[in-house]
Amino acid sequence: MNYQEVLENARKTILNCKACPECNGLACGATMPGPGSKGGCAHENWKAWRNYKLNVDTFAPDGPVDPSCTLFGREFSLPLLTGPIGTMLQYSKTDVTVPFNDGVIQAAAETGIIACFGDGLAPETVPGALASMEKHGAAVMPVLNPLPNALIIDKLETIEKTSAVAVSVVVDSAGLNIGMFKKDSPGSKTVEDLKLLKSHTTKPFVVKGIMTGKAACNAVEAGADAIIVSNHGGRVLADAPATAVVLPEIVDAVRGRTKIIVDGGIRTGGDMLKALALGADAVLICRPFAVSWFGGGSEGVRVYVEKLRKEFIEAMYMCGARKLSDICPDMVRKA
Ligand SMILES: Cc1cc2nc3c(=O)[nH]c(=O)nc-3n(C[C@H](O)[C@H](O)[C@H](O)COP(=O)(O)O)c2cc1C
């Protein structure tokens, strides 16, 4: 199966999504509920990476490219995480969240990357994903919504007993309007809240949904082992800037004190290199994994990861990088 076939297959079953040749946030537009974004924010994310180009410079000793990366004290085959999707009801009439997570987690194990899953709405989501993680021996990071602290702590204690590689709290889900300001709905967190949550886990603690240098410093103060620069794929605030635009400011503010993962509109191996050249340690990609799973289950997800790997290696080679530590800001320019 190739990626073209994955997309063609996906179009037969996926809802609210056209499985476009490149997932650029235009066809899904401002569809929420649905997999789109608020305003044109998902498209802005995508466009911002198009505004960067890679500097071809092959002057380097010839040899193979090694795209592997170390994160959370472990080695992975690529600096890539799959994005959490709390509920697949955005894409389907029946709830396929558990089999989706299973397919992605299996493919992550087979391709040597990290899979994330969201804690979603249905009670079976977290136990289902944790069972898939153990079944496939995968590197998995649960991403928990910013519910009242006691509810997060319950989940942290369950996750603590598993082999999850890290655990994340997604602070920007405070902006999701499902059930806002009702009991047990997502809400904002303080540095003190995050310190408390971190004290309930020994796993690397990752704060997702950072969009300013100040927020990044707050996450560092709370003890974040990594942050995810993210505007939730444009789903929480229509006028949020693109993540590629704020990434350099955040890299500057953090000054190496925590690992930086970035998401939002990253679609190709070339985009992955742009993100790392701008200072990220790894990237997270979300929507294309949903499309790939509809198009071919676990195999569809593997096809997309291998496409990214091929493109990333080619981009590194053509910019003179043989390993991740060779990647530097000189490799990227504003278009
Ligand atoms: C349908 C849908 C559901 C999502 N659910 C979650 C979630 O439960 N938790 C979370 O942290 N992020 C969630 N996200 C955000 C993604 O994980 C990710 O941050 C964002 O979509 C990245 O951008 P990309 O889709 O452009 O790659 C969701 C995104 C979509 C499209």
Side-chain angles (χ1 to χ4, degrees), residues 146 169-176 208-211 228 230-233 236:
V169 174
V170 49
V171 291
D172 64 2
S173 287
L176 288 177
K208 180 170 184 280
I210 297 296
M211 284 298 287
I228 305 182
S230 173
N231 56 26
H232 215 106
V236 288

Side-chain angles (χ1 to χ4, degrees), residues 84-86 90 143 170 208 230 232-233 235 263-265 267 286-287:
I85 295 183
Q90 316 280 358
V143 179
V170 49
K208 180 170 184 280
S230 173
H232 215 106
R235 294 170 67 78
D263 77 18
R267 297 294 176 256
C286 181
R287 290 178 179 89

Side-chain angles (χ1 to χ4, degrees), residues 141-201:
M141 178 168 83
V143 179
L144 305 178
N145 276 310
L147 301 173
N149 289 344
L151 296 182
I152 302 183
I153 289 167
D154 260 6
K155 289 182 185 169
L156 287 174
E157 283 168 359
T158 303
I159 292 162
E160 188 65 12
K161 297 180 205 124
T162 72
S163 62
V165 286
V167 64
S168 175
V169 174
V170 49
V171 291
D172 64 2
S173 287
L176 288 177
N177 51 13
I178 20 170
M180 205 149 68
F181 304 127
K182 292 192 191 129
K183 187 174 171 289
D184 296 349
S185 69
S188 63
K189 295 292 173 201
T190 63
V191 170
E192 294 313 313
D193 288 324
L194 294 182
K195 279 185 181 166
L196 171 74
L197 297 173
K198 184 181 157 79
S199 76
H200 283 269
T201 180

